[in-house]
Amino acid sequence: QVQLVEFGGGLVQAGGSLRLSCAASGRSFSNYAMGWFRQAPGKERDFIARISGSGGSTYYADSVKGRFTISRDNAKNTVYLQMNDLKPEDTAVYYCAASRPGSLKYAYWGQGTQVTVSS
């Protein structure tokens, strides 16, 4: 069982930066691939980024490639999302999620953190 809590959301002007954190409880954090998703009002939840358990492999949605960076610190049971050059269309609730070893499906989800980008 993994419990996830996101931190770091807030209000930022367009062009600014934010770093989201997601703290995980439970054992064997490094066994879980982690992902970030977001959901804007009236829209479906979209994939943003994924990182392997070791941190050696990352994957991004085209919409954030080059602006967002996913990373993790397994010693701290934490995954991060550094967001640069934010745009108003990045406004959404951001969620982190964990997938069990060997699975591409995300079994555990955080409660989400709001990111609002003003123009």
Side-chain angles (χ1 to χ4, degrees):
Q1 190 78 356
V2 177
Q3 293 183 322
L4 304 172
V5 180
E6 299 96 337
F7 301 93
L11 174 64
V12 64
Q13 289 188 333
S17 298
L18 278 176
R19 188 176 81 156
L20 304 182
S21 301
C22 172
S25 64
R27 296 184 293 180
S28 304
F29 175 68
S30 61
N31 287 345
Y32 294 83
M34 300 294 295
W36 284 97
F37 294 75
R38 67 186 180 188
Q39 187 168 20
K43 296 188 177 181
E44 295 184 352
R45 188 176 298 185
D46 290 331
F47 166 80
I48 299 174
R50 177 180 173 94
I51 188 167
S52 62
S54 68
S57 178
T58 58
Y59 184 75
Y60 297 91
D62 288 343
S63 59
V64 304
K65 201 173 294 183
R67 298 190 298 124
F68 291 11
T69 302
I70 188 171
S71 62
R72 66 191 295 160
D73 185 337
N74 286 340
K76 295 182 178 179
N77 279 19
T78 301
V79 63
Y80 305 97
L81 185 69
Q82 177 67 42
M83 305 185 294
N84 298 328
D85 188 24
L86 283 161
K87 306 176 187 300
E89 52 264 40
D90 294 318
T91 295
V93 178
Y94 283 70
Y95 300 88
C96 69
S99 62
R100 294 192 182 101
S103 173
L104 293 177
K105 294 184 178 181
Y106 292 89
Y108 307 103
W109 293 83
Q111 83 290 347
T113 186
Q114 176 70 47
V115 172
T116 302
V117 184
S118 64
S119 57

